[in-house]
């Protein structure tokens, strides 16, 4: 396999977004357009969900070869609410467990006329690799690629910050926890960089800090109290146990004491700071329950925004593919 992770893979020959593989290389205007469309699909709690027929006649296939609750369900709801047919394949029920290659799985779905394939996989480079081989009517959406990329999570995080804190250029954003193994952190860094946040901070114990050649421009902290001081946005990340081997694994109790976001630490943040977490949470490890369920938490809003963002991405990709067909 020869992965091609470049941002250009996701564009058609006219530069339109045909797949969504990464937020790297996306302009501020493109990101704002997606956030604006997502906002159009947001509804107040208790209101009926937004629906339209942007994907009428289309089939969306969810291929999740790593566990997921939020991303898988929100892609399914988003596709249904846009009028698509949806099929779900998971790691236990697909023929990949019998040795079928991922490309054969993709070709099988595309032969059944699936149009949009939503993929989560532990293998770096897989979404870009697959995107190079699919038929012209097929789009690939990255729903979580190893430790590298989770673009729709980055977008929903940005939408949540925009709704609650407004102007990105005035904000100090802290991402704290297992940065090294986190695709959420990498996509958040990409989106917040494009949107021009005033300061991006990453905080992790030394063992969980990424290499120096990553997260360009971010301020690095190994002390959480220093990192959180004056932050407007505090995003806590879980320890990615599935990507850590033996000796690197921190003890949960001492991790919570030395690095967890608790009510005492949150007092060091800027007044009115918001607390985010992409989920799934490990309560009382990277974040205390008191903070996760407290008044500054926007975690449930992130979940709700996930559906709106995925509707926006699906509708945009479908429109772009349609436009290309129209002019051919
Ligand atoms: N944030 C996120 O990707 O959650 P899931 O693993 O539940 O999809």
């Amino acid at each position: 396999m020869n992965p091609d992770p470049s941002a250009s893979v996701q564009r058609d020959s006219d530069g339109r977004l045909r797949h969504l593989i990464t937020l790297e290389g996306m302009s501020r205007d493109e990101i704002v357009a997606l956030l604006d469309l997502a906002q159009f699909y947001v509804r107040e709690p208790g209101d009926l969900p937004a629906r339209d027929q942007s994907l009428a006649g289309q089939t969306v296939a969810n291929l999740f070869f790593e566990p997921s609750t939020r991303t898988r369900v929100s892609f399914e709801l988003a596709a249904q609410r846009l009028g698509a047919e949806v099929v779900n394949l998971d790691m236990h029920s697909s023929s990949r467990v019998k040795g079928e290659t991922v490309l054969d799985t993709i070709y099988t779905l595309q032969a059944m006329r699936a149009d949009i394939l939503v993929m989560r996989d532990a293998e770096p480079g897989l979404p870009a690799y697959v995107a190079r081989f699919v038929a012209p009517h097929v789009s690939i959406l990255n729903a979580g690629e190893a430790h590298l990329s989770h673009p729709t999570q980055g977008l929903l995080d940005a939408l949540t910050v925009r709704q609650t804190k407004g102007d990105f250029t005035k904000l100090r954003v802290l991402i704290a926890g297992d940065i090294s193994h986190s695709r959420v952190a990498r996509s958040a860094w990409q989106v917040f960089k494009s949107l021009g946040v005033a300061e991006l901070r990453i905080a992790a114990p030394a063992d969980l800090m990424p290499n120096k050649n990553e997260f360009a421009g971010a301020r690095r902290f190994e002390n959480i109290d220093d990192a959180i001081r004056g932050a407007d946005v505090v995003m806590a990340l879980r320890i990615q146990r599935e990507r850590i081997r033996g000796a690197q694994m921190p003890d949960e109790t001492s991790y919570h004491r030395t690095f967890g976001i608790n009510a005492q630490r949150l007092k060091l943040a800027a007044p009115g700071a918001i607390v985010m977490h992409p989920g799934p949470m490990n309560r009382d490890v990277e974040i205390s329950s008191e903070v996760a369920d407290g008044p500054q938490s926007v975690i449930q809003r992130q979940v709700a925004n996930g559906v709106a963002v995925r509707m926006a991405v699906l509708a945009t990709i479908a429109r772009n593919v349609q436009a290309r067909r129209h002019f051919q």
Side-chain angles (χ1 to χ4, degrees):
M1 177 178 133
N2 180 23
D4 182 357
S6 77
S8 61
V9 172
Q10 64 189 353
R11 297 188 183 276
D12 66 20
S13 53
D14 296 317
R16 281 182 292 246
L17 212 55
R18 175 182 155 198
H19 311 284
L20 181 62
I21 310 290
T22 176
L23 298 177
E24 191 63 49
M26 284 182 66
S27 70
R28 182 184 176 282
D29 287 352
E30 270 182 309
I31 289 168
V32 168
L34 283 169
L35 299 186
D36 288 347
L37 184 55
Q39 188 61 48
F40 169 79
Y41 286 125
V42 170
R43 293 293 181 271
E44 292 301 314
D47 286 353
L48 288 174
R51 290 180 193 276
D52 68 31
Q53 290 297 307
S54 299
L55 263 63
Q58 303 222 16
T59 301
V60 174
N62 284 322
L63 288 78
F64 279 69
F65 300 117
E66 277 194 324
S68 171
T69 297
R70 281 147 283 267
T71 312
R72 199 197 64 72
V73 174
S74 61
F75 261 116
E76 181 169 356
L77 289 174
Q80 286 174 351
R81 289 174 187 171
L82 295 173
E85 277 187 312
V86 184
V87 290
N88 294 304
L89 227 71
D90 68 32
M91 53 194 167
H92 305 297
S93 60
S94 106
S95 287
R96 272 182 85 187
V97 296
K98 301 184 204 163
E100 180 171 81
T101 68
V102 69
L103 272 186
D104 283 331
T105 304
I106 299 288
Y107 291 150
T108 300
L109 291 165
Q110 125 183 332
M112 295 181 199
R113 202 56 179 79
D115 302 285
I116 299 179
L117 306 181
V118 180
M119 290 185 62
R120 170 173 288 195
D121 204 283
E123 189 171 343
L126 199 64
Y129 170 75
V130 166
R132 290 168 54 222
F133 292 97
V134 290
H137 74 273
V138 174
S139 295
I140 301 295
L141 303 188
N142 177 0
E145 173 191 0
H147 62 290
L148 288 178
S149 182
H150 194 349
T152 54
Q153 179 72 43
L155 291 169
L156 77 86
D157 289 340
L159 182 64
T160 306
V161 171
R162 190 173 83 165
Q163 289 168 346
T164 51
K165 301 302 291 179
D167 186 356
F168 290 100
T169 65
K170 295 190 168 66
L171 298 180
R172 280 166 290 192
V173 176
L174 167 64
I175 309 173
D178 178 5
I179 308 287
S180 168
H181 302 97
S182 175
R183 54 193 173 211
V184 172
R186 285 173 177 82
S187 288
W189 166 71
Q190 287 163 351
V191 77
F192 289 134
K193 188 178 53 160
S194 297
L195 293 169
V197 295
E199 188 177 296
L200 191 70
R201 304 174 180 177
I202 56 173
D207 279 355
L208 302 176
M209 191 64 94
N211 291 335
K212 290 276 184 236
N213 60 355
E214 288 196 276
F215 291 89
R219 286 184 67 193
R220 290 170 180 247
F221 296 82
E222 289 182 13
N223 180 298
I224 190 65
D225 294 331
D226 293 342
I228 204 169
R229 202 161 278 120
D232 301 289
V233 175
V234 178
M235 183 190 295
L237 301 177
R238 79 182 169 92
I239 301 166
Q240 304 260 311
R241 306 192 161 280
E242 65 275 31
R243 302 188 211 287
I244 298 180
R245 279 179 218 99
Q248 257 191 311
M249 184 70 78
D251 167 75
E252 290 189 352
T253 308
S254 69
Y255 184 89
H256 186 62
R257 192 176 56 247
T258 57
F259 223 85
I261 307 296
N262 57 30
Q264 198 59 33
R265 288 207 166 102
L266 190 55
K267 288 183 186 152
L268 299 171
I274 58 166
V275 177
M276 305 176 73
H277 194 303
M281 278 187 282
N282 291 139
R283 286 173 178 268
D284 302 319
V285 182
E286 72 274 8
I287 189 168
S288 70
S289 278
E290 192 184 3
V291 169
D293 303 328
Q296 289 168 267
S297 169
V298 295
I299 294 169
Q300 293 308 316
R301 187 190 276 254
Q302 286 175 273
V303 175
N305 283 335
V307 181
V309 157
R310 285 157 186 138
M311 288 175 83
V313 168
L314 286 164
T316 300
I317 295 286
R319 187 191 60 211
N320 289 350
V321 171
Q322 212 46 40
R324 185 168 169 73
R325 257 188 225 149
H326 189 72
F327 289 111
Q328 272 176 345

